Amino acid sequence: LALREATDADDLAFLTALRPFQRAGVKFLVTARHALLADEMGLGKTVQAIAAMETIGNDAYPALVVCPNSMKRTWAEEFNRWAPGRDVVVVSGSAPARKKSIAALKNGEADVAVINYEGLRSHTRLEGYGAMTLSAEEKRPKELNEVALRSVVADESHRAKDPRAKQTRALWAVGKNA
């Protein structure tokens, strides 16, 4: 897989393995850059997101994937399948182990970190919402805020629909500048 900038999704050979509607989804994501891919379940949104980042090339990395805990390993496996040149870390385990994985992303030792929604709020500051007052701890930048993320993928983004929920405001904070 040649990693390079591409302006047309059809320029990358691995995209020929995708179905036509998936290639259209990749083109949509590459063009929009900030988008919601809302295909039905089972139609390959994961591969479309990975293919879009690979089409954009190195400018899409470092990347963070936020997903349900049960999907962390699946995301890592899909990156290994569709973007085998990318180093992926799964953020899991004890707090020091999670911080070590995030440090690998920050230091350029990894291209992608995969974290679950529940863990996200432990490693990023929170954004405010309405009249809600943030504590000093919630305002304090944490490990993920020190990473110059270029892409943030929110898998199962309906988990971040309540603006009062900490995991929603953590996603806002980490994705703010991506």
Side-chain angles (χ1 to χ4, degrees), residues 82-146:
W82 295 100
R86 297 292 174 190
D87 291 316
V88 179
V89 293
V90 175
V91 181
S92 62
S94 65
R98 294 190 311 264
K99 288 179 181 182
K100 184 177 179 182
S101 295
I102 294 167
L105 187 67
K106 179 183 175 188
N107 298 333
E109 299 162 12
D111 299 305
V112 181
V114 183
I115 192 168
N116 60 323
Y117 281 95
E118 296 80 9
L120 178 65
R121 66 179 178 241
S122 298
H123 298 284
T124 182
R125 71 175 307 277
L126 301 183
E127 284 295 312
Y129 174 70
M132 294 178 76
T133 303
L134 294 176
S135 70
E137 177 61 21
E138 291 172 332
K139 291 178 188 177
R140 185 179 63 80
K142 297 181 184 165
E143 302 83 23
L144 281 169
N145 304 114
E146 297 172 359

Side-chain angles (χ1 to χ4, degrees), residues 44-109:
K45 293 181 292 295
T46 300
V47 68
Q48 289 176 66
I50 294 169
M53 286 189 283
E54 286 300 291
T55 300
I56 292 167
N58 289 331
D59 284 347
Y61 298 96
L64 180 71
V65 175
V66 184
C67 63
N69 195 47
S70 63
M71 292 299 295
K72 289 192 303 189
R73 299 280 174 213
T74 301
W75 270 95
E77 291 167 4
E78 290 297 306
F79 263 101
N80 286 335
R81 178 176 178 201
W82 295 100
R86 297 292 174 190
D87 291 316
V88 179
V89 293
V90 175
V91 181
S92 62
S94 65
R98 294 190 311 264
K99 288 179 181 182
K100 184 177 179 182
S101 295
I102 294 167
L105 187 67
K106 179 183 175 188
N107 298 333
E109 299 162 12

Side-chain angles (χ1 to χ4, degrees), residues 117 120-121 125-127 129 157-175:
Y117 281 95
L120 178 65
R121 66 179 178 241
R125 71 175 307 277
L126 301 183
E127 284 295 312
Y129 174 70
S157 62
H158 64 275
R159 291 181 176 228
K161 67 182 177 183
D162 182 355
R164 295 172 308 235
K166 287 185 178 185
Q167 66 190 26
T168 300
R169 293 182 292 125
L171 182 62
W172 291 351
V174 80

Side-chain angles (χ1 to χ4, degrees), residues 13-71:
F14 75 94
L15 290 171
T16 60
L18 300 179
R19 295 189 169 118
F21 70 88
Q22 291 171 320
R23 286 193 298 274
V26 170
K27 286 181 182 181
F28 164 70
L29 292 173
V30 168
T31 302
R33 299 289 174 114
H34 297 143
L36 174 67
L37 185 61
D39 290 353
E40 293 291 327
M41 184 171 59
L43 293 181
K45 293 181 292 295
T46 300
V47 68
Q48 289 176 66
I50 294 169
M53 286 189 283
E54 286 300 291
T55 300
I56 292 167
N58 289 331
D59 284 347
Y61 298 96
L64 180 71
V65 175
V66 184
C67 63
N69 195 47
S70 63
M71 292 299 295

